[in-house]
Amino acid sequence: MDQHAPAPTRTEAALAGTPPDRLPGALARAWDSDFLWSFRHSPVAIVSSLVAVAMILAAVLAPWISPQNPFDPAQLDLMDGLTPPMTPNEISQRIFILGTDPQGRDMYSAILYGSRVSLLVGFASVIFSMAIGITLGLAAGYLGGRTEALIMRIADIQLSFPAILVALLVFGIFRGVVPPAQQEQATLWVLIVAIGLSNWAQYARTVRATTMVEKSKVYVDAARLIGLKSFVIMVKHVLPNVTGPVLVIATINLALAIIEEATLSFLGVGMPPTQPSLGTLIRIGQQFLFSGELWILASPALALILLALSINLLGDWLRDVLNPRLR
Amino acid sequence: MFAYILRSLLQGAVVLIAVAFIAFSMFRFVGDPVANMVGQEASMADREELTKHLGLDQPFPIQFLRFLGKAAQGDFGISYRQGRPVAAVMAERLPATVELAVLSAIFATVVGVALGVYAAIRRHGLVANAVMTLSLVGVSLPTFLIGIGLIYVFAVELRWLPSFGRGETVRLGGWTTGLLTKSGLQSLILPVLTLGFFQLTLIMRLVRSEMLEVMRSDFIRFARARGIPNRVIEFRHALRNTMIPVVTIAGLQLGSVIAFAIVTETVFQWPGLGALFVNAVQFADVPVMAAYLVFVAFVFVVVNLATDLAYLALDPRLRAAPTAAR
């Protein structure tokens, strides 16, 4: 699927100003000329990647760039409560870009900290499901036989069940097993595991399919001939060749995982209000829908949409680039 | 053809038993069923008696078989939280969810197919392009935000429609329906739109791309050559040939309908099974969770079977050569 003729690839990459020779295998393909060329010619990709990168940077740098720490009660002033966006507060005359909630918490800071949690859960759960999916997919594709039948059967069942349902179940079991006192701290990890467990099947399917194609190629025979162990062949030789499709799924799944986390938090089975993600902020903001303080709801909602949409569009573009048949 | 149906049935049974096993393990190992049922002051003797009564002193496989037998009769024990039989609690919630799911499926299919055909026929038209772009945005919007948006516009700003609950319902035997009163119907509109929206965009995009494919094929060209009017070609000849993939995806999408029903019911405080499940998860009400899981699996199996049968009805080729199916 990713077999370009080597010669034009190198020259075009050189024109784009990136030396592919110096980068290791997977990265070299990522910087492939075709890739950069499409990027430069796709306004959607440029804009959405700018938005995504800006939001991720803002989330990572939240403690340094946000006007206040929204979870430090000492920094909150009840007098600032319910200030509309961009209008000076009647008492303190302070201006908040996105307004404040009833406790005088600056919504802009809350969103920065909230997207930090959302992105942390998103990235960690994607890595978690990727690890499970790739391992099982490689094993299924390379070993075949009973192992394959069993793994793929489980993946089939898993795939037909909606991710959110699986995540809710994992969360429910957690509520039943862990004593209430420790639940609040553990929630973040449970969310990561719950969302990760609900998304591994897609990776497994794709990796298995690609592995089966790769397995029949000559280089695998050669590796086997020189006496390498199955494990080494799988990890060192087959695995690098499945990174393309996995990258696409991972990007689209990142957007899905962020939405899934927001949905769980919105349903009240996710992050607690003491450590809110964007979903928790929306859940809190919903209470002000009828009283007219729309900004408490609208700003985290917009942040979530922007984040999910930009990553989604980036994933769509990536899929089109890496899979020429779809063009 | 008989073998084909039999195989579908068998696969369904295997899935059901597997899910029942998960549900049973949850019931058995998450929390202590005995401690959840007796009060704090119960004596050891009371506990032992209940353990015996529940059959928890017997070997695991026998317990599982008993669970299966009871589950088949719809007996899932007593809800930890409400103290009533799970079956009764669920039966009370079922009508709300069924009405919501069925109406939104009808809405999504009718509007989705219509828009999809339109977008395919007027491929480069302004409206078709606008609809396609909108659908792309719709796919990446979380369901609960669509619901909140609709509440804001139609309940808060315009004050046209209620924002929560089922409105007035009418009892018909064991079934409560919101379809017979004005407030019941009004209450249905926003949840149905919310739940149907995702399916709608999906069906629409699918119908469009399938239509574009079919319109390029030879038999359409010949039909044109025969001078058959465009409308007849589009709706009689082309549309019918797009139905197989549409039915497949619509069937497979049932999973997401159930998932989105959970979210939709929470947003609109709809007294259905999904909201019940979310509550059960919050309070670790294991019997309700287990029962809901088995219920969802059952619906899945039935719909999968229906989808398989729909193929047979839609595609005469499958009836002729059953081995080619799957």
Side-chain angles (χ1 to χ4, degrees):
Chain A
M1 173 158 116
D2 275 314
Q3 286 175 337
H4 307 285
T9 307
R10 288 276 164 81
T11 27
E12 280 179 42
L15 285 176
T18 46
D21 321 60
R22 266 189 260 153
L23 297 163
L27 276 179
R29 187 158 52 232
W31 281 107
D32 195 297
S33 64
D34 194 22
F35 188 85
L36 260 191
W37 189 90
S38 326
F39 187 78
R40 275 182 282 133
H41 290 258
S42 162
V44 174
I46 295 174
V47 172
S48 54
S49 66
L50 278 180
V51 172
V53 167
M55 291 191 73
I56 292 171
L57 271 183
V60 171
L61 300 176
W64 296 280
I65 61 170
S66 70
Q68 58 165 231
N69 178 353
F71 307 110
D72 177 7
Q75 294 187 27
L76 303 183
D77 190 347
L78 273 179
M79 295 294 195
D80 291 332
L82 296 180
T83 314
M86 295 312 286
T87 32
N89 181 278
E90 283 169 16
I91 303 158
S92 67
Q93 295 302 315
R94 289 210 285 167
I95 293 178
F96 298 92
I97 309 175
L98 296 176
T100 62
D101 74 356
Q103 277 96 47
R105 184 174 291 150
D106 172 33
M107 285 314 292
Y108 171 65
S109 311
I111 286 172
L112 288 186
Y113 276 82
S115 39
R116 214 171 141 87
V117 177
S118 288
L119 279 164
L120 176 66
V121 174
F123 273 110
S125 65
V126 163
I127 290 172
F128 183 61
S129 49
M130 223 156 90
I132 305 177
I134 290 178
T135 313
L136 291 180
L138 263 183
Y142 194 84
L143 301 175
R146 283 250 176 91
T147 327
E148 181 184 18
L150 181 69
I151 293 175
M152 293 333 286
R153 210 61 254 198
I154 298 174
D156 280 348
I157 295 178
Q158 158 94 71
L159 268 181
S160 62
F161 269 83
I164 198 99
L165 197 62
V166 178
L168 275 169
L169 274 180
V170 174
F171 204 88
I173 293 172
F174 153 74
R175 278 277 160 99
V177 172
V178 178
Q182 290 156 25
Q183 283 189 358
E184 202 155 289
Q185 297 164 341
T187 306
L188 185 77
W189 299 104
V190 177
L191 275 181
I192 292 172
V193 171
I195 297 173
L197 275 183
S198 63
N199 285 323
W200 64 271
Q202 239 183 325
Y203 296 97
R205 266 200 181 170
T206 313
V207 169
R208 169 182 161 266
T210 322
T211 306
M212 281 169 64
V213 174
E214 293 295 322
K215 196 172 72 170
S216 59
K217 288 190 179 162
V218 185
Y219 76 91
V220 174
D221 289 338
R224 212 178 283 150
L225 268 182
I226 60 172
L228 291 183
K229 289 190 181 114
S230 293
F231 181 76
V232 178
I233 301 178
M234 275 197 279
V235 174
K236 274 195 82 174
H237 300 278
V238 178
L239 187 59
N241 289 302
V242 303
T243 37
V246 166
L247 197 65
V248 175
I249 302 178
T251 316
I252 293 175
N253 260 350
L254 177 61
L256 286 179
I258 289 173
I259 288 183
E260 205 178 324
E261 186 279 324
T263 307
L264 287 173
S265 292
F266 175 79
L267 292 178
V269 291
M271 297 306 293
T274 47
Q275 204 190 350
S277 69
L278 289 177
T280 322
L281 289 175
I282 294 170
R283 178 182 168 83
I284 298 170
Q286 199 200 8
Q287 296 159 7
F288 300 96
L289 188 58
F290 285 91
S291 51
E293 286 92 14
L294 195 64
W295 63 89
I296 304 176
L297 170 66
S299 35
L302 278 179
L304 177 65
I305 294 173
L306 266 184
L307 192 61
L309 190 64
S310 59
I311 297 176
N312 233 337
L313 288 173
L314 212 55
D316 270 354
W317 167 80
L318 205 60
R319 183 185 54 203
D320 293 349
V321 172
L322 292 181
N323 190 351
R325 268 172 306 172
L326 285 177
R327 255 183 257 169
Chain B
M1 188 169 128
F2 181 69
Y4 174 64
I5 296 173
L6 197 71
R7 190 164 48 201
S8 302
L9 271 175
L10 211 70
Q11 277 174 350
V14 170
V15 169
L16 266 184
I17 290 178
V19 171
F21 183 74
I22 297 173
F24 171 70
S25 317
M26 260 169 56
F27 181 69
R28 187 70 191 82
F29 298 115
V30 176
D32 180 358
V34 176
N36 272 310
M37 282 182 204
V38 299
Q40 294 259 325
E41 301 88 33
S43 65
M44 278 315 277
D46 284 347
R47 279 164 198 262
E48 264 167 39
E49 197 187 334
L50 187 61
T51 309
K52 213 164 207 167
H53 177 69
L54 291 173
L56 294 177
D57 52 345
Q58 284 171 348
F60 188 81
I62 292 185
Q63 283 189 39
F64 179 53
L65 283 180
R66 281 179 53 145
F67 176 84
L68 273 187
K70 279 188 171 176
Q73 296 164 35
D75 179 3
F76 284 94
I78 308 243
S79 159
Y80 293 164
R81 187 148 170 271
Q82 307 198 15
R84 296 192 297 143
V86 174
V89 175
M90 287 187 64
E92 194 178 281
R93 299 287 196 120
L94 185 67
T97 297
V98 170
E99 278 179 7
L100 177 63
V102 169
L103 280 181
S104 61
I106 294 173
F107 160 73
T109 316
V110 172
V111 180
V113 169
L115 280 179
V117 171
Y118 180 81
I121 296 172
R122 303 258 180 284
R123 198 181 162 184
H124 300 290
L126 202 67
V127 181
N129 275 328
V131 167
M132 286 305 288
T133 316
L134 209 68
S135 78
L136 191 70
V137 177
V139 169
S140 20
L141 268 187
T143 312
F144 65 95
L145 281 183
I146 295 174
I148 292 176
L150 287 175
I151 289 182
Y152 177 68
V153 174
F154 292 102
V156 178
E157 287 295 319
L158 298 173
R159 293 173 189 280
W160 286 352
L161 297 166
S163 65
F164 66 88
R166 280 184 88 188
E168 263 178 70
T169 52
V170 178
R171 273 199 93 82
L172 296 174
W175 190 272
T176 55
T177 178
L179 295 173
L180 296 177
T181 61
K182 193 177 166 229
S183 77
L185 284 174
Q186 282 179 333
S187 310
L188 266 166
I189 296 177
L190 293 184
V192 164
L193 284 179
T194 308
L195 185 54
F197 190 72
F198 179 81
Q199 288 169 284
L200 187 155
T201 49
L202 197 94
I203 292 178
M204 183 191 106
R205 297 175 73 87
L206 194 72
V207 169
R208 175 180 173 273
S209 62
E210 288 294 325
M211 275 289 274
L212 288 177
E213 193 90 356
V214 173
M215 291 300 269
R216 275 199 293 264
S217 61
D218 285 342
F219 73 88
I220 295 292
R221 204 169 301 152
F222 286 126
R224 280 198 207 286
R226 278 166 63 201
I228 296 173
N230 269 341
R231 180 144 308 163
V232 177
I233 294 180
E234 284 151 2
F235 286 93
R236 285 271 302 276
H237 298 244
L239 185 59
R240 181 177 291 183
N241 279 283
T242 65
M243 279 297 113
I244 280 249
V246 172
V247 168
T248 313
I249 299 288
L252 285 177
Q253 278 307 307
L254 187 88
S256 29
V257 175
I258 290 168
F260 292 131
I262 296 175
V263 179
T264 309
E265 286 178 7
T266 309
V267 173
F268 291 96
Q269 296 166 41
W270 191 256
L273 288 174
L276 179 75
F277 179 63
V278 171
N279 265 324
V281 167
Q282 275 167 343
F283 294 97
D285 192 345
V286 179
V288 174
M289 280 164 65
Y292 182 81
L293 188 65
V294 175
F295 168 77
V296 169
F298 179 72
V299 174
F300 260 105
V301 168
V302 170
V303 168
N304 263 338
L305 206 64
T307 317
D308 282 350
L309 292 179
Y311 288 165
L312 294 180
L314 281 172
D315 194 338
R317 282 168 298 185
L318 289 180
R319 268 172 276 168
T323 41
R326 284 198 185 208

